[in-house]
Amino acid sequence: MNEVTMSPQVQEAYDNYPKLSNIKIAAMVLISMMLLWSILGLDFKGLNAKGFEVAGNLINSFFKPNTYILFGNSAISVQVLMLETIAIAFLGTIIGALIAIPIAFLAARNLMPKVVTLFFQGSITGIRVFPVFVIGVAVIRVTGAGPFAGVITMGITSVGMMTKLYVEAVEGINKNVLDALDATGCSTFEKIRFGIIPQLTAQFLSTAIYRFEINLKNAAVLGLVGAGGIGGVLLAALNTTRRLPDASAYLIGLAVAVLFVELASNYIRGKLA
């Protein structure tokens, strides 16, 4: 039987095709074992019939929400508490963005010495280790319950994520522009002002808008621990069966607000791209 001969182009493509190395095979086996171990670790004891009843009641309540809470203007209405939640998320995002910008430049490896970048990158990692819920509880212990605690928590958690993304943007800038400014004798401040900031403005704004979306959802969660917003009253309503229409009103208001903010942010980020 005649052997099939391949053209030089096909042979070259075959030779260049990535082969499975021993490291890749070992990684696949390890991931498979971890997945199996995770599945076996699930302590599933079946579905709770009472849970189906509660879920059904909650779904039915969406068709008859408490209109006084949904459309009213009292202290416990959706529009008042949702505005408070949005304000907490917005202020927290602004605080986080303002703090993250200088830290990002100090943590960028293409601008600062290694000792400086290691210190600030380590600080960023330390902030990002703790979940927003844990930071919220800690802040409330210091400041007391209320919207102010929510704003401070949003600001702290925003610094961790936004600084990391800002550092990646700073480290990915066009170095040719900096070299040209350096050749003209510009100082470090002038290089940042005229060579770096114009390249990063759109990315920084896009990151801040994306973080605002996350903070809006986190602000609702922080209400569960007393950091203001709609989360606290939502949890209280969910814990009582007869108040499910109230919970539905809060959930509808939260869903509408999150959807509106997401659509608006996607439009703005599309314009910035």
Side-chain angles (χ1 to χ4, degrees):
M1 182 180 293
N2 296 330
E3 294 184 359
V4 178
T5 59
M6 294 184 292
S7 65
Q9 294 82 1
V10 175
Q11 183 65 43
E12 182 182 359
Y14 175 78
D15 294 337
N16 293 332
Y17 190 81
K19 304 298 190 299
L20 280 177
S21 63
N22 293 334
I23 296 178
K24 292 181 180 179
I25 294 174
M28 293 171 61
V29 172
L30 180 61
I31 292 174
S32 300
M33 293 176 61
M34 292 178 62
L35 179 62
L36 179 61
W37 174 72
S38 301
I39 294 174
L40 294 176
L42 295 175
D43 187 18
F44 181 67
K45 299 180 180 179
L47 299 175
N48 188 349
K50 184 67 175 178
F52 281 109
E53 180 182 349
V54 173
N57 293 334
L58 180 60
I59 293 173
N60 291 331
S61 67
F62 273 96
F63 297 98
K64 46 183 179 180
N66 188 327
T67 55
Y68 174 74
I69 290 179
L70 186 59
F71 301 109
N73 57 1
S74 64
I76 61 171
S77 66
V78 169
Q79 60 175 315
V80 172
L81 293 175
M82 202 63 239
L83 284 175
E84 183 179 278
T85 303
I86 293 173
I88 292 172
F90 180 77
L91 288 176
T93 304
I94 295 297
I95 292 173
L98 293 177
I99 297 175
I101 290 175
I103 297 178
F105 286 112
L106 292 171
R109 288 170 291 187
N110 58 337
L111 296 178
M112 294 295 169
K114 186 175 181 179
V115 176
V116 178
T117 59
L118 285 176
F119 173 78
F120 284 99
Q121 288 185 358
S123 302
I124 297 167
T125 303
I127 294 175
R128 295 176 61 243
V129 164
F130 300 99
V132 61
F133 197 82
V134 174
I135 295 178
V137 172
V139 170
I140 287 174
R141 292 289 184 180
V142 177
T143 64
F148 180 75
V151 172
I152 298 301
T153 303
M154 290 293 97
I156 295 174
T157 55
S158 296
V159 168
M161 171 192 161
M162 296 176 75
T163 304
K164 177 177 173 55
L165 296 178
Y166 284 178
V167 169
E168 294 177 358
V170 172
E171 292 180 346
I173 61 177
N174 187 349
K175 295 182 179 179
N176 294 331
V177 177
L178 298 181
D179 292 339
L181 292 173
D182 192 39
T184 60
C186 291
S187 63
T188 301
F189 175 78
E190 290 173 333
K191 286 191 289 185
I192 293 174
R193 170 64 181 85
F194 299 103
I196 297 178
I197 293 179
Q199 297 185 56
L200 301 177
T201 301
Q203 297 182 58
F204 279 11
L205 288 176
S206 179
T207 300
I209 294 171
Y210 177 63
R211 182 64 204 187
F212 173 64
E213 293 181 40
I214 299 175
N215 282 346
L216 180 60
K217 301 169 188 176
N218 286 343
V221 175
L222 284 176
L224 303 179
V225 295
I230 204 171
V233 293
L234 174 59
L235 178 64
L238 286 173
N239 286 335
T240 307
T241 303
R242 65 176 182 274
R243 291 196 60 197
L244 287 181
D246 299 355
S248 298
Y250 291 127
L251 288 173
I252 291 172
L254 181 61
V256 171
V258 170
L259 179 61
F260 175 79
V261 170
E262 185 169 348
L263 291 175
S265 64
N266 288 339
Y267 175 79
I268 296 172
R269 287 205 306 270
K271 291 295 184 180
L272 293 173

